[in-house]
Amino acid sequence: MSEKIIEIKSLDVFYGAAQALFDIHLSMDRGGIAALVGANGAGKSTLLKAIMGLVKTKNGTIRIAGADCTGSNAIKMVRKGLSLSPEGRELFGELTVRENLVLGVLPLKIGKAESEKRMAEVFARFPKIEQRVEQQAGTLSGGEQQMVAMGRALMAKPSLLLLDEPSLGLAPLITDEIFDIIHQLSRSGVSILLVEQNAARALSASDTSYLMANGRIVDSGDSKKLLHDPALRRAFLGAASENNPDASRLGASGLTNIRLEKDDMSHKSFMPEIQSEEELCAHQLKGLQWTVKHACEGSSFYRQLFDAKGIKPEDIQSLDDLQKLPFTTADDLRDGYPFPLRSVPFEQIVRIHASSGTTGKRKVMAYTQQDIDDWVHFFARGYEMAGVTSLDRIQIAVGYGVWTAGMGFQLGCEKIGALAVPTGPGNIDLQCQLMLDFQSTVFCSTASMALLMAEEIHKRGIADKINIQKIIYGSERSSVSMRKKISELFGGAELFDIPGLTELYGPGTGIECPNHECIHYWADYYILEILDPETLEPVKPGEWGEMVVTTLCKEASPLIRYRTRDLTRIIPGPCACGSIMPRHSRIKGRSDDMMKFRGVNIYPSSIDTILSAIPGLGSEYQVHLSRNEKNGRDSMLLMVEESENCDQSRWKDLADETVHQHKKQLMVTPEVEIVAYGSLPRSERKSQRIFDTRLGEDIVG
Ligand code: ZN
């Protein structure tokens, strides 16, 4: 005998030309209770009718206790051991209770004696209706009618009872009574497939549940787990709990509206199909060969670069040949402004993104539609690795605009079918309000912004009223203490560091995995080399060095051995999380002198420019970047010399002007201290101007 009482595969149902059910997969073990949960019109009743043979199915199979019953009519299904207690009871009001019950055995052609015996069993379960056996069914109360409807279904002694909305229109006390009987039935060995609009009630009463929306099963699993899944609870159950199931908000406006027009994402994965290191290497070599040929044919910049080194595309025969290729740098991008590295005709370019650089010449990257699709795919993969699902609500507090951040987070969110709350950065008041009102479950921002929010949440005392489970943050380094602080103040949220850079599509080029010891990077989209920034020779596996990347399928602006200046190291060996994707440590810093301060990139040269434009200031200055150990916040002290023969009474005005110009031009607010001319140390060679004590901080990984 099959372990499965029912097994449905790839079932479609049409009403005329309109498809009512899509690719339904469902299976139930013997003896349990399974629930179909969803709003009106989600397809629950249609599925029960399809199983019962009351509506025609198209495609797919239905097996009952191992036997193929696809396409059987209702009478055959009753003989196979199925019985349906339909929505709205569907009793014959003019007939007596007895006559209604007898209808339940009609398809079975059993004798009168057996019929009477079964009726006695039904009455044993429902003593209330025995008293009314000769009464017209139409005169009974709603609860009694429900008992007759269930009794009629039980007359056939089903092994699988299909129960459609047993609590519909019943008072809570009567509903409790009906559900007690359902549990007794289950204990006596009857398998029950239950349709119930009250999601909390259905999840509490069943072993497994299938969530339906728009004719699809959108999620399924252990009912108790689903009931206690915070994301699901917020999305579908409102204030309902096991003890207070009637608080469920799930109704006509529940599941259907929230899930409208979304694909079933519950079983979709964005993880690579690659299964082994050999497969990955073969994939990388193919991508490398394509990229070199494509860049050589499409871009005069690359062609000249290769020619100068005497390299031809056919020279690339193995992954080791990568080392024959020349490096590219941020300077190449700036020199090629506005369309550096462009390797396809303009008509194939669908979008431009640029880095939020502080100099006039931004790093501009072009994208074909395929480039966008690739980026979105691996961004969705990152969300997947962080455990974000279509039930999440993602508050995206990163910049939207010409830079890549907002777009990446947004498109990835839409790809996995989650709900986006695109707030953009800043505006702490709005962030808090929407976090409360929309019950966002995921917060995306820079590390600094996450800290600002964490402090504000703490200040307002709302940590227990928000529902942020995960924080995905990127674009700057963060210390262990800072991470700890953010997580604590957010009420225990899990942090995921997400790396990325504009030149390499944008954010999302990898992500911290749930083990929180490393970042998995998408080696099926780019090759990562770790080189000594001085010698540009590969470092030993596990040693720190500069990230150098080569893309494998980027069309509009391919990167070949692009020096990112980011410092990290490869972590050898497999990860306990089981991902095949290789991993690196969280970014430790940059190999050049660019400073990152509260999410803003600052070049010393831009400070030079500002200071030299303010009359009364000297040429010498020092920048002291430090981090407050207690709150993890960075601060910048700018010590600037006055110009020779400047009047000390002007120092305050000079300091104010310096702060003002930094705010205006760099969007940072330094503390400024004007010091006497000649008091800062001088050096014949390059003076050290930047003192970053933050570099001494512990970094994860
Ligand atoms: Zn991992």
Side-chain angles (χ1 to χ4, degrees):
M1 202 159 53
S2 169
E3 287 301 307
K4 300 280 178 204
I5 185 70
I6 184 166
E7 213 171 358
I8 300 173
K9 283 187 179 154
S10 309
L11 190 75
D12 292 331
V13 167
F14 287 78
Y15 285 135
Q19 190 162 1
L21 294 181
F22 299 79
D23 193 30
I24 300 290
H25 290 257
L26 180 152
S27 80
M28 257 185 88
D29 291 334
R30 276 179 190 280
I33 301 179
L36 296 176
V37 181
N40 275 334
K44 310 181 302 288
S45 296
T46 303
L47 178 52
L48 286 195
K49 284 181 188 155
I51 294 171
M52 199 61 211
L54 293 169
V55 298
K56 273 201 177 147
T57 61
K58 193 176 178 182
N59 310 323
T61 55
I62 301 176
R63 302 181 82 85
I64 305 295
D68 189 354
C69 296
T70 315
S72 300
N73 64 24
I75 290 173
K76 278 191 186 145
M77 282 306 201
V78 173
R79 291 179 185 151
K80 289 279 180 195
L82 257 63
S83 202
L84 171 69
S85 171
E87 183 187 357
R89 342 285 190 224
E90 294 187 13
L91 299 179
F92 289 90
E94 304 292 310
L95 300 184
T96 64
V97 168
R98 175 188 300 281
E99 287 162 338
N100 269 290
L101 289 177
V102 169
L103 290 174
V105 289
L106 224 53
L108 298 179
K109 294 179 183 155
I110 57 171
K112 189 152 191 282
E114 175 65 18
S115 173
E116 287 297 322
K117 198 179 137 214
R118 292 189 181 190
M119 205 177 300
E121 286 169 19
V122 167
F123 289 148
R125 273 193 204 288
F126 303 99
K128 271 191 184 168
I129 58 172
E130 185 173 18
Q131 298 157 19
R132 310 196 185 281
V133 64
E134 303 303 339
Q135 207 170 312
Q136 282 186 330
T139 65
L140 302 182
S141 72
E144 287 163 348
Q145 289 194 15
Q146 180 58 39
M147 291 176 192
V148 175
M150 285 168 67
R152 181 181 55 190
L154 290 173
M155 287 291 283
K157 287 207 163 201
S159 46
L160 175 60
L161 174 63
L162 310 178
L163 268 179
D164 199 351
E165 301 280 7
S167 74
L168 195 69
L170 301 185
L173 269 181
I174 309 294
T175 301
D176 288 346
E177 200 178 331
I178 296 290
F179 271 88
D180 283 345
I181 295 167
I182 292 171
H183 283 292
Q184 286 167 18
L185 279 171
S186 168
R187 283 197 292 277
S188 73
V190 181
S191 308
I192 294 165
L193 181 55
L194 172 72
V195 159
E196 175 58 54
Q197 219 186 101
N198 183 327
R201 169 78 74 175
L203 290 168
S204 312
S206 59
D207 308 307
T208 51
S209 290
Y210 292 84
L211 304 189
M212 291 191 73
N214 299 309
R216 295 174 169 89
I217 290 173
V218 293
D219 206 347
S220 64
D222 182 273
S223 297
K224 299 293 178 285
K225 274 192 194 141
L226 289 172
L227 186 61
H228 293 109
D229 181 314
L232 182 81
R233 291 183 49 78
R234 295 290 183 182
F236 300 128
L237 300 180
S241 67
E242 202 162 359
N243 300 326
N244 184 19
D246 293 324
S248 173
R249 284 182 306 196
L250 185 79
S253 63
L255 203 47
T256 303
N257 284 357
I258 294 174
R259 300 287 103 183
L260 199 64
E261 298 306 318
K262 281 188 186 175
D263 288 339
D264 174 7
M265 302 307 297
S266 55
H267 303 290
K268 191 163 169 88
S269 175
F270 299 93
M271 293 300 168
E273 285 169 11
I274 290 163
Q275 292 299 326
S276 68
E277 211 178 314
E278 294 77 62
E279 258 182 84
L280 179 60
C281 287
H283 172 87
Q284 286 187 335
L285 177 59
K286 224 171 120 192
L288 177 63
Q289 287 171 327
W290 176 85
T291 297
V292 172
K293 187 162 183 285
H294 171 71
C296 197
E297 287 166 358
S299 148
S300 54
F301 165 78
Y302 276 122
R303 199 160 45 243
Q304 282 166 19
L305 201 62
F306 294 158
D307 283 350
K309 271 218 151 196
I311 304 236
K312 292 189 173 57
E314 49 274 24
D315 294 339
I316 306 299
Q317 293 300 325
S318 75
L319 284 179
D320 288 338
D321 293 333
L322 179 63
Q323 290 186 36
K324 294 179 184 165
L325 295 170
F327 292 100
T328 50
T329 65
D331 286 340
D332 293 325
L333 295 186
R334 295 200 189 90
D335 292 347
Y337 187 86
F339 299 108
L341 314 187
R342 183 174 62 87
S343 303
V344 299
F346 278 107
E347 54 266 35
Q348 289 184 33
I349 294 175
V350 299
R351 200 191 292 170
I352 291 295
H353 279 298
S355 67
S356 52
T358 49
T359 51
K361 286 186 177 179
R362 296 170 183 277
K363 289 176 272 183
V364 183
M365 304 306 280
Y367 298 71
T368 65
Q369 187 57 51
Q370 185 61 47
D371 292 336
I372 300 282
D373 292 347
D374 288 340
W375 180 28
V376 172
H377 183 90
F378 69 63
F379 208 112
R381 179 191 291 177
Y383 278 132
E384 184 182 341
M385 184 164 267
V388 178
T389 74
S390 57
L391 297 178
D392 277 298
R393 297 174 178 193
I394 309 180
Q395 189 158 329
I396 304 171
V398 297
Y400 283 74
V402 74
W403 41 92
T404 51
M407 286 287 194
F409 282 94
Q410 178 74 26
L411 294 172
C413 170
E414 289 171 7
K415 188 77 181 173
I416 61 162
L419 187 159
V421 183
T423 52
N427 208 339
I428 303 289
D429 249 356
L430 178 81
Q431 304 284 359
C432 286
Q433 193 193 334
L434 298 190
M435 215 173 253
L436 280 167
D437 294 349
F438 298 165
Q439 290 289 302
S440 310
T441 57
V442 180
F443 185 68
C444 304
S445 72
T446 61
S448 302
M449 175 75 184
L451 184 68
L452 276 177
M453 277 301 291
E455 285 170 342
E456 191 62 24
I457 285 162
H458 180 66
K459 208 170 90 192
R460 297 184 184 204
I462 54 172
D464 59 341
K465 296 184 187 67
I466 59 168
N467 191 26
I468 297 293
Q469 311 286 325
K470 298 181 165 91
I471 295 169
I472 300 177
Y473 73 96
S475 100
E476 61 184 329
R477 298 179 312 109
S478 57
S479 70
V480 174
S481 56
M482 187 177 181
R483 281 169 61 94
K484 199 162 157 262
K485 179 118 194 152
I486 293 170
S487 173
E488 271 171 20
L489 297 185
F490 259 99
E494 192 177 4
L495 267 61
F496 295 89
D497 191 340
I498 189 164
L501 69 162
T502 302
E503 301 92 305
L504 189 57
Y505 297 94
T509 53
I511 196 164
E512 179 175 333
C513 80
N515 270 28
H516 301 294
E517 281 169 358
C518 61
I519 283 163
H520 290 276
Y521 69 92
W522 313 138
D524 49 342
Y525 286 93
Y526 62 97
I527 295 175
L528 174 59
E529 296 174 88
I530 306 289
L531 305 181
D532 182 318
E534 298 293 321
T535 65
L536 295 177
E537 290 298 318
V539 300
K540 293 196 188 85
E543 282 180 11
W544 293 92
E546 181 181 326
M547 281 177 86
V548 173
V549 294
T550 301
T551 56
L552 299 172
C553 54
K554 208 161 178 276
E555 295 179 341
S557 309
L559 294 181
I560 291 174
R561 300 198 90 192
Y562 179 73
R563 294 189 58 187
T564 68
R565 311 286 172 168
D566 282 333
L567 298 175
T568 188
R569 61 176 174 182
I570 295 287
I571 302 179
C575 180
C577 80
S579 171
I580 179 92
M581 288 286 103
R583 53 217 188 108
H584 64 72
S585 280
R586 293 174 48 226
I587 309 298
K588 187 179 170 185
R590 292 182 59 82
S591 63
D592 58 12
D593 58 0
M594 191 194 75
M595 295 174 277
K596 281 209 173 190
F597 178 70
R598 296 197 183 177
V600 181
N601 297 345
I602 305 166
Y603 288 88
S605 58
S606 40
I607 295 182
D608 281 340
T609 312
I610 291 173
L611 297 181
S612 37
I614 301 175
L617 291 182
S619 65
E620 292 310 302
Y621 67 93
Q622 287 185 352
V623 179
H624 294 266
L625 296 167
S626 59
R627 181 162 294 166
N628 182 322
E629 276 309 319
K630 282 208 182 100
N631 63 16
R633 288 186 65 171
D634 290 353
S635 55
M636 179 191 286
L637 170 65
L638 193 54
M639 295 170 76
V640 194
E641 279 187 15
E642 60 171 346
S643 60
E644 213 171 353
N645 304 322
C646 175
D647 188 344
Q648 197 168 345
S649 64
R650 286 194 57 213
W651 283 15
K652 186 170 182 311
D653 288 344
L654 280 176
D656 289 348
E657 179 64 9
T658 307
V659 171
H660 173 72
Q661 288 302 331
H662 277 80
K663 262 191 193 171
K664 192 171 134 191
Q665 298 185 40
L666 300 181
M667 284 166 292
V668 300
T669 310
E671 256 181 73
V672 176
E673 192 183 325
I674 307 293
V675 296
Y677 179 72
S679 60
L680 292 177
R682 304 289 202 266
S683 157
E684 277 176 34
R685 301 182 62 206
K686 200 179 159 195
S687 298
Q688 187 184 358
R689 299 180 197 279
I690 313 297
F691 299 84
D692 193 349
T693 56
R694 302 174 305 171
L695 287 170
E697 284 261 295
D698 288 341
I699 303 287
V700 161

